[in-house]
RNA sequence: GGGCGGGUAGCUCAGUUGGUUAGAGCACUGGCCUUACAAGCCGGGGGUCACAGGUUCGAGACCUGUUCCGCCCACCA
């Protein structure tokens, strides 16, 4: 096909050999497999840190449902990564799976209809079958913890396959050699090492204290996992008596069920109404328990009745008062959220359940034992409504008015269904409250994209109230490497924990034996027992940079991969994932974990609500890829700026698909032009390349700030408007040799077209990896020696610098203007762009005419004008054209 | 209550350090089968830039206030 006998010609393709339409599905699978086979996504450990670009990829929760939101944010990262790769960076782009934690437990419980009891013995070779909907009503099968964990592994490994298939389908250029899971051997080892390191450094402690507790999951939770939900409640006005007087006062409470847990009464110190009461004792209704009345700045005179009861514990403020006033502990809510049995004693007792009338108190309280909070509330209110003389003989019923409905925020575990309770339990904490300023400083050293997301971090850190509770009373997670000595009665000595040595890790204290003990000493008096708590999942996932680098397990590798370059994530987990990762990195190594944080927005449904499984508005991604192709879906994702929430509009996928088609066709056309190899010398061609230089500069600059969306926008606009609609149309005839120009002009046109396509393909490659590589391989792979576009270099101004600048920088604009002016006229005349003109007289300013002379041939040729004349006229503005005369060639009559 | 972001065409959004007549895509609409592409091309209509002040020769952009929407946070009796 090509004639190499005398002169070199461009390697052109035969368009007839290509399918009419681009088969996205087939090409995607073929190309992705080829990338994998070539290993072009692999990290090269031999290259230095400054040549390496390290990504701290979010490990997706595999037990969650896949939706377009996943594709959205992961595509953002991939676009950034692909551009960095083209810039010559050695890419470290791992992917982990977040499989431990509550979502997995919940999924596994439902999947097999099972529950856990730590007392059940392990059954080797246990067979589990997926439960049917009919099984859901059957009582769940009770498993040992190890069997349950096996089941978790089984389910998550299946889930991971589904995720991985989708990631490959969408073309994520992840190095699959770097795959990990947050529950795997290495992650467990590093999480436990992290714990021991924090312990060595004195940042970890174990204390018994009131902690936020979810009564359904029956675990402690951290402040970061708590959210406020507005709930309707009611103020109950209750009459309290004052000890040793006839006085009474009224408190307002939304939690009358906690009356038995009342340990004090407080009002604002300046509140004249209650000043005389301070220092006296109040008598609670029903239970007749005397409690101190004390002043507190925290009490708001405007709220309720201005005086309130302090319980153990209704909320965080109760905890504060309890601590400050050294009040008694009357814990009536148990870990399962039901009221615990207690025994009331006389006032001389000091066990916390002193009543002026213990018998009567007991009678009331026994009616509440075992009830949940709501049931207890109903029961107590009924008693308060009916019982005369409840706080002191002679008083009426303590409920002074019908409860008044109010709506107020109530704390919930973000995954929970019932309000959190404060329950005094023993938990492990990482001390952070005393390090707020350091955390703020570290956060300020990180570049947040967009910048205002840094204020989310600041905001959260400044308002931090509690140390980080890292222990969870759950099963599928990383265990604490901790045991306790048992005393002679078999009680664990929590003040004397035994820690695993670093060499032992990872350990499962319920299986592995504490150092210095033998297996037969487990759970016997004088022996040892395991800490059964597991880490907060964030305790492990806040180590993702270290898990990927190997950290203490591989210090050399760690040094070359830590800190990372970017941390992509979404904004709702700034207070958890980002915050804890910064905290860990600071505490372990006094370093920031990454230079940049890239925040992706949310996907909103057309009603602008966040897409989430619970709202039932989730769009699954697979059908979108099948319908529009992976590139089109990526195009949609890459169109959103960092941090901006984006409405899900299926229209955008169609636009993306159209762009892919256009690239296919334009590539087919450009590469099918054959001509002798020639330098780019023609004025218009040089003017076009000059425009291209500006585009390369703009796109590159955007990518420096990881702003792929403006880069894509500029590239797309240029491709569509300047390249295909203008330049390509203007040089078509010349490239085909129809213009009657010489071979140099023709070669110049083909060379410029090919260079334009080549550069544009590379500018699109990070966003549209499939179609760009497809077209690349038709000719440019051989030409450049880069088999895949993803091995080619990102375009630079320098590589275009060999092409001479146009003699006038306005040449391209002028050609464009003339082209549009003439086309507009043709359109008005009802003629197609392709219709030849028998005559055209174009008038312009003399200054314009000078520039126009250089490109006149291109315009005349492109508009197929037989007889052309240009006229100079001072009255016309520079850069404008007026059509003095135009004659459209009559339509040829169809033959036959 | 505190903090952050936003309000630009019917819809989704660009709009650089203030600078001609405010842009794109979609949608709507007229024309065109034109040798890469009808999954296309050439045209057209459509905006009091949330509101009110201010700074300036000049404001969509800067300042102040108001208002609406969204998000994050807050001790929730």
């Amino acid at each position: 096909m090509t004639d190499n006998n005398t002169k070199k010609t461009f390697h052109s393709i035969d368009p007839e050999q290509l399918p009419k339409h681009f088969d996205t599905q087939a090409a995607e699978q073929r190309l992705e497999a080829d990338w994998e086979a070539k290993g072009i996504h692999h990290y090269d450990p031999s290259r230095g840190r400054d040549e390496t670009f390290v990504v701290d990829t979010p490990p997706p929760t595999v037990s969650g449902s896949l939706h377009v939101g996943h594709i959205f944010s992961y595509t953002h990262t991939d676009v950034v990564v692909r551009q960095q790769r083209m810039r010559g960076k050695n890419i470290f782009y791992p992917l982990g799976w977040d499989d431990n934690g509550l979502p997995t437990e919940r999924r596994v419980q439902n999947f097999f209809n099972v529950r856990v009891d730590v007392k059940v013995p392990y059954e080797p070779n246990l067979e589990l079958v997926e439960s049917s909907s009919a099984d859901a009503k059957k009582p769940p099968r009770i498993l040992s913890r190890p069997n349950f964990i096996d089941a978790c592994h089984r389910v998550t490994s299946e889930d991971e396959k589904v995720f991985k298939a989708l990631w490959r389908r969408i073309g994520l250029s992840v190095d699959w050699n770097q795959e990990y899971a947050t529950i795997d051997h290495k992650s467990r080892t590093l999480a436990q090492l992290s714990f021991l390191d924090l312990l060595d450094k004195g940042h970890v402690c174990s204390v018994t204290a009131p902690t936020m507790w979810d009564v359904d999951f029956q675990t402690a939770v951290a402040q970061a996992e708590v959210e406020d939900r507005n709930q309707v409640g009611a103020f109950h006005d209750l009459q309290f008596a004052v000890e040793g007087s006839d006085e009474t006062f009224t408190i307002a409470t939304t939690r009358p069920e906690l009356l038995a847990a009342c340990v004090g009464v407080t009002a604002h110190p300046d509140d004249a109404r209650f000043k005389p009461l301070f220092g006296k004792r109040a008598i609670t209704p029903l239970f007749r328990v005397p409690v101190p009345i004390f002043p507190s700045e925290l009490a708001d005179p405007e709220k309720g009745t201005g005086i309130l009861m302090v319980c153990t514990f209704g909320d965080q403020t109760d905890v504060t008062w309890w601590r400050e006033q050294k009040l008694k502990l009357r814990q009536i809510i148990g870990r399962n959220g039901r009221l615990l049995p207690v025994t009331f004693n006389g006032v001389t007792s000091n066990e916390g359940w002193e009543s002026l009338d213990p018998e009567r108190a007991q009678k009331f309280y026994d009616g509440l034992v075992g009830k949940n909070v709501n049931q207890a509330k109903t029961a107590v209110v009924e008693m308060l409504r009916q019982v005369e003389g409840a706080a002191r003989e002679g008083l009426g019923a303590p409920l002074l008015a019908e409860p008044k409905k109010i709506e107020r925020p109530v704390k919930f575990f973000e995954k929970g269904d019932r309000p959190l309770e404060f329950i005094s339990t023993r938990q492990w904490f990482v001390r952070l409250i005393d390090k707020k300023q350091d955390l703020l400083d570290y956060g300020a050293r990180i570049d947040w994209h967009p910048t205002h997301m840094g204020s989310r971090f600041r905001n959260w850190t400044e308002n931090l109230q509690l140390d980080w509770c890292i222990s969870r009373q759950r099963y599928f997670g990383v265990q604490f490497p901790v045991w306790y000595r048992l005393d002679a009665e078999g009680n664990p000595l929590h003040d004397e924990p035994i820690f695993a040595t670093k060499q032992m890790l990872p350990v499962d204290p319920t299986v592995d034996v504490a150092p210095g003990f033998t297996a037969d000493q487990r759970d016997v008096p004088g022996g040892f027992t395991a800490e059964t708590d597991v880490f907060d999942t964030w305790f492990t996932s806040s180590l993702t940079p270290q898990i990927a680098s190997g950290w203490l397990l591989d210090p050399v590798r760690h040094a070359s991969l830590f800190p990372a370059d970017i941390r992509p994530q979404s904004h709702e987990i700034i207070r958890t994932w980002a915050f804890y990762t910064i905290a860990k990195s600071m505490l372990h190594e006094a370093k920031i974990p990454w230079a940049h944080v890239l925040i992706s927005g949310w996907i909103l449904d057309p009603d602008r609500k966040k897409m989430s499984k619970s709202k039932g508005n989730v769009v699954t991604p697979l059908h979108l890829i099948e319908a529009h192709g992976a590139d089109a879906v990526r195009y949609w994702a890459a169109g959103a700026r960092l941090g901006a929430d984006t409405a899900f509009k299926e229209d955008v996928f169609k636009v993306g698909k159209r762009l892919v088609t256009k690239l296919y066709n334009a590539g087919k056309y450009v590469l099918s032009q054959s001509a002798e190899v020639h330098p780019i010398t023609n004025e218009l061609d040089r003017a076009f390349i000059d425009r291209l230089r500006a585009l390369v500069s703009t796109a590159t600059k955007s990518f420096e700030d990881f702003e792929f969306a403006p880069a894509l926008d500029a590239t797309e606009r240029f491709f569509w408007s300047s390249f295909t609609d203008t330049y390509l149309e203007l040089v078509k005839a010349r490239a085909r040799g129809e213009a009657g120009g010489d071979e140099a002009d023709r070669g110049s046109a083909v060379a410029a077209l090919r260079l334009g396509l080549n550069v544009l393909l590379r500018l699109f490659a990070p966003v549209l990896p499939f179609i760009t590589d497809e077209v690349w391989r038709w000719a440019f792979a051989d030409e450049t020696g880069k088999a895949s576009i993803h091995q080619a270099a990102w375009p630079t101004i320098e590589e275009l610098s060999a092409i001479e600048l146009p003699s006038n920088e306005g040449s391209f604009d002028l050609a464009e203007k003339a082209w549009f002016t003439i086309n507009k006229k043709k359109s008005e005349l009802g003629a197609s762009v392709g219709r030849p003109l028998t005559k055209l007289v174009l008038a312009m300013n003399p200054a314009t005419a000078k520039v126009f002379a250089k490109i006149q041939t291109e315009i005349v040729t492109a508009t197929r004008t037989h007889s052309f004349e240009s006229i100079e006229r001072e009255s016309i503005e520079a850069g404008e054209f007026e059509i003095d005369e135009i004659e459209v060639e009559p339509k040829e009559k169809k033959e036959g």
Side-chain angles (χ1 to χ4, degrees):
Chain A
M1 185 169 60
T2 53
D3 178 9
N4 282 329
N5 290 340
T6 49
K7 290 185 174 169
K8 264 182 111 177
T9 58
F10 288 113
H11 168 67
S12 62
I13 57 164
D14 177 3
E16 299 302 318
Q17 298 294 310
L18 292 169
K20 172 102 173 127
H21 298 303
F22 179 49
D23 182 349
T24 54
Q25 309 294 310
E28 284 161 15
Q29 279 168 30
R30 170 167 43 83
L31 289 166
E32 207 277 339
D34 187 62
W35 299 335
E36 204 53 32
K38 287 190 167 68
I40 62 179
H41 303 153
H42 291 170
Y43 164 64
D44 176 359
S46 68
R47 291 176 65 187
R49 178 65 186 88
D50 45 339
E51 294 177 72
T52 305
F53 186 77
V54 182
V55 185
D56 180 21
T57 322
T61 307
V62 289
S63 43
S65 65
L66 267 173
H67 63 83
V68 286
H70 283 108
I71 294 220
F72 183 70
S73 52
Y74 280 84
T75 298
H76 289 171
T77 309
D78 190 59
V79 170
V80 167
V81 163
R82 284 183 179 276
Q83 198 261 350
Q84 289 286 334
R85 185 179 290 116
M86 291 177 82
R87 296 202 71 173
K89 284 289 173 71
N90 174 32
I91 303 295
F92 182 74
Y93 188 13
L95 196 82
W97 309 108
D98 190 14
D99 35 21
N100 75 64
L102 280 177
T104 299
E105 286 194 13
R106 191 145 56 171
R107 177 158 152 74
V108 170
Q109 285 178 358
N110 295 335
F111 196 85
F112 296 117
N113 193 27
V114 292
R115 295 292 183 274
V116 184
D117 188 332
V118 287
K119 292 191 272 300
V120 169
Y122 178 66
E123 272 186 66
N125 310 318
L126 177 78
E127 293 282 321
L128 285 175
V129 286
E130 188 178 347
S131 71
S132 65
S133 55
D135 296 336
K137 290 192 185 86
K138 291 185 189 168
R141 182 166 179 177
I142 306 300
L143 299 186
S144 73
R145 175 169 156 160
N147 283 120
F148 181 72
I149 288 172
D150 286 347
C152 289
H153 282 300
R154 208 177 113 189
V155 169
T156 53
S157 73
E158 287 305 309
D159 289 340
E160 283 160 18
K161 283 179 197 155
V162 176
F163 267 72
K164 184 170 176 177
L166 182 74
W167 291 159
R168 293 186 62 165
R169 193 77 195 272
I170 199 74
L172 295 192
S173 59
V174 161
D175 180 355
W176 293 107
N177 290 342
Q178 311 294 340
E179 214 172 328
Y180 69 88
T182 55
I183 198 67
D184 69 18
H185 187 273
K186 184 176 162 195
S187 298
R188 291 203 316 274
T189 305
L190 290 174
Q192 292 182 338
L193 272 173
S194 167
F195 175 81
L196 295 178
D197 186 56
L198 295 178
L199 190 76
D200 286 346
K201 293 186 162 88
H203 302 310
V204 163
C205 61
S206 157
V207 292
T208 300
T211 311
M212 288 183 280
W213 182 270
D214 185 281
V215 297
D216 292 310
F217 290 108
Q218 298 200 32
T219 180
V221 302
Q223 189 189 346
E225 297 162 288
V226 173
E227 65 182 25
D228 284 355
R229 294 183 202 161
N230 275 329
Q231 297 278 302
V232 174
F235 264 130
H236 299 73
D237 287 348
L238 307 186
Q239 189 177 34
F240 277 52
V242 178
E243 195 180 34
S245 89
D246 291 337
E247 283 175 90
T248 63
F249 61 90
T250 308
I251 64 109
T253 180
T254 56
R255 301 208 57 184
E257 71 276 16
L258 291 179
L259 185 57
C262 179
V263 292
V265 165
T266 187
H268 195 274
D270 301 333
D271 195 327
R273 294 172 293 177
F274 307 113
K275 263 187 178 172
L277 297 178
F278 298 141
K280 296 181 178 169
R281 295 208 297 177
I283 310 291
T284 64
L286 299 184
F287 306 104
R288 292 196 179 168
V289 175
V291 296
I293 306 173
F294 60 92
S296 167
E297 302 275 354
L298 297 175
D300 178 357
E302 304 293 316
K303 232 174 211 173
T305 56
I307 189 163
L308 65 124
M309 67 171 184
V310 178
C311 306
T312 51
F313 297 94
D315 61 31
Q316 183 70 48
T317 329
D318 280 348
V319 177
T320 308
W321 283 317
W322 174 74
R323 282 215 179 98
E324 286 176 357
Q325 300 291 325
K326 298 191 168 43
L327 301 170
K328 302 216 166 181
L329 178 64
R330 297 192 177 113
Q331 184 75 53
I332 60 166
I333 298 192
R335 296 182 173 212
N336 59 0
R338 293 181 181 276
L339 268 64
L340 297 164
V342 303
T343 307
F344 283 87
N345 302 306
V347 283
T348 50
S349 141
N350 198 24
E351 288 165 27
W353 305 100
E354 308 84 350
S355 169
L356 296 168
D357 191 346
E359 241 172 80
R360 192 178 147 98
Q362 197 67 48
K363 198 185 79 200
F364 289 128
Y365 191 82
D366 286 348
L368 305 175
V369 173
K371 286 183 162 37
N372 68 30
V373 166
N374 282 333
Q375 294 162 343
K377 184 178 299 190
T378 309
V380 163
V381 169
E382 208 43 43
M383 293 174 193
L384 289 164
R385 204 191 296 278
Q386 292 176 357
V387 178
E388 295 280 323
R392 193 183 60 227
E393 293 309 327
L395 292 178
L399 186 69
L400 296 177
E402 277 311 296
K404 294 177 281 291
K405 280 202 172 141
I406 55 153
E407 200 185 82
R408 82 277 187 234
V410 176
K411 283 197 190 306
F412 281 75
F413 176 38
E414 59 189 358
K415 296 186 174 72
D417 298 320
R418 286 196 279 173
L420 288 168
E421 296 296 340
F422 283 82
I423 296 184
S424 188
T425 51
R426 196 186 51 80
Q427 304 291 346
W428 290 91
F429 291 86
V430 176
R431 284 193 205 91
L432 293 179
I433 295 294
D434 56 349
K435 303 176 185 78
K436 275 191 191 182
Q437 191 51 53
D438 289 338
L439 286 162
L440 288 167
D441 293 344
Y442 275 65
R445 283 161 53 195
I446 296 163
D447 283 330
W448 298 77
H449 304 265
T451 46
H452 69 82
M453 288 299 175
S455 65
R456 296 272 182 106
F457 172 83
R458 213 167 41 244
N459 202 217
W460 171 257
T461 307
E462 282 166 355
N463 288 310
L464 201 62
Q465 306 286 315
L466 303 168
D467 285 324
W468 180 12
C469 177
I470 56 168
S471 44
R472 298 289 180 277
Q473 290 65 53
R474 299 299 309 178
Y475 315 105
F476 191 51
V478 180
Q479 293 92 349
F480 279 74
V482 176
W483 300 263
Y484 302 99
R485 211 178 297 281
L486 295 174
D487 66 14
E489 272 103 54
N491 297 314
L493 298 166
H494 286 128
D495 294 340
E496 296 175 42
I498 304 160
F499 298 105
T501 61
K502 288 179 181 170
Q503 293 70 34
M504 294 170 73
L505 304 183
V507 296
D508 179 347
T510 63
V511 173
D512 299 307
V513 176
F517 286 85
T518 54
D520 56 357
Q521 290 177 284
R522 182 182 294 277
D523 293 330
V524 296
F528 71 97
T529 191
E531 167 64 88
T532 53
D533 288 356
V534 296
F535 292 137
D536 173 10
T537 56
W538 294 116
F539 190 82
T540 306
S541 46
S542 57
L543 288 170
T544 48
Q546 290 91 338
I547 292 170
S549 72
W551 193 31
L552 297 170
L553 300 177
D554 193 343
V556 175
R557 184 177 143 107
H558 181 62
S560 62
L561 293 172
F562 185 90
D565 288 276
I566 61 164
R567 151 63 71 89
Q569 64 164 80
S570 58
H571 45 76
E572 82 275 18
I573 54 174
I574 287 174
R575 67 176 182 171
T576 48
W577 198 35
F579 176 80
Y580 290 141
T581 308
I582 293 168
K584 281 259 181 122
S585 181
M586 179 180 99
L587 297 177
H588 287 309
E589 298 185 73
K591 285 181 179 170
I592 53 169
W594 354 262
H596 304 273
V597 177
L598 274 56
I599 303 289
S600 291
W602 286 339
I603 297 309
L604 309 173
D605 69 11
D607 296 331
R608 303 207 64 84
K609 294 272 177 284
K610 188 193 173 191
M611 237 177 229
S612 69
K613 197 180 173 186
S614 58
K615 291 198 182 73
N617 57 357
V618 164
V619 177
T620 56
L622 204 56
H623 86 271
L624 289 172
I625 299 175
E626 281 163 1
H628 307 287
D631 280 335
V633 176
R634 292 174 61 104
Y635 168 86
W636 160 74
R641 285 168 315 137
L642 285 174
D645 294 345
T646 299
F648 179 81
K649 286 196 75 187
E650 200 140 356
D651 291 355
V652 185
F653 299 101
K654 295 197 181 112
V655 177
K657 192 175 180 181
R658 226 170 47 123
L659 175 60
V660 169
T661 304
K662 191 78 172 175
L663 275 162
Y664 183 80
N665 286 314
K668 194 158 70 171
Y669 175 77
V670 168
L671 293 175
S672 65
Q673 303 303 302
S674 67
E676 283 175 14
V677 172
H678 233 284
I680 296 166
T681 48
N682 176 283
E683 173 74 7
L684 181 66
D685 302 338
R686 276 152 49 200
F688 166 71
I689 299 299
D690 196 39
R691 281 278 200 97
L692 193 61
R693 271 190 271 262
L695 171 67
V696 168
S697 166
T698 303
T700 304
K701 222 172 118 200
S702 290
F703 263 109
E704 311 258 298
D705 297 325
F706 308 111
E707 282 289 3
F708 41 79
L712 171 62
D713 182 66
T715 306
E716 185 188 8
R717 215 176 278 251
F718 184 95
F719 168 69
W720 215 283
S721 164
S722 300
F723 189 61
T724 64
D725 290 351
T726 307
Y727 179 68
L728 200 148
E729 295 296 336
L730 283 172
V731 298
K732 241 180 196 177
R734 175 156 56 95
R736 220 184 276 132
E738 289 171 6
D742 56 17
E743 270 301 306
D745 263 348
R746 187 174 169 205
S748 172
V750 173
L753 281 172
R754 292 174 72 107
L755 182 57
L757 178 68
N758 183 309
V759 168
L760 285 164
L761 286 175
R762 281 180 286 150
L763 292 175
F764 276 127
V767 177
L768 312 172
F770 295 105
I771 183 62
T772 53
D773 206 17
E774 174 76 9
V775 176
W776 179 267
R777 288 164 187 238
W778 292 342
F780 296 135
D782 279 348
E783 207 169 284
T784 60
K786 303 291 184 190
S788 165
I789 196 170
H790 306 297
Q791 295 168 308
W794 180 254
T796 60
I797 307 277
E798 289 71 38
E799 73 174 273
L800 299 173
S801 63
I803 291 113
E804 216 184 315
L805 291 170
S807 60
N808 189 294
E809 61 177 31
S811 289
F812 195 87
D813 291 330
L814 205 62
E816 198 169 35
K817 183 76 189 179
W819 174 244
F820 287 148
T821 307
I822 297 161
N823 283 340
K824 185 170 176 176
K825 196 71 187 173
K826 276 185 173 176
S827 182
E828 284 167 12
L829 296 170
S832 71
V833 178
R835 280 273 281 288
L837 299 174
T838 48
K839 191 173 186 189
L840 177 65
V841 179
L842 216 50
M844 67 201 82
N845 183 287
T848 306
K850 279 204 185 100
V851 182
F852 184 76
K854 299 242 167 52
I855 52 159
Q856 178 174 320
T857 317
E858 328 300 327
I859 299 298
V860 171
T861 310
T863 53
R864 304 186 182 187
T865 301
H866 300 322
S867 165
F868 180 82
E869 195 185 335
S870 79
I871 293 175
E872 295 186 12
R873 193 179 298 145
E874 289 284 359
S875 62
I876 299 174
E877 259 184 73
E880 296 290 322
F881 296 96
E882 280 177 18
I883 295 172
D884 281 15
E885 260 185 86
I886 187 164
E887 276 175 26
V888 180
E889 191 178 77
K891 225 170 183 178
E892 275 178 41
K893 286 195 179 124
K894 274 185 187 162
E895 288 181 25

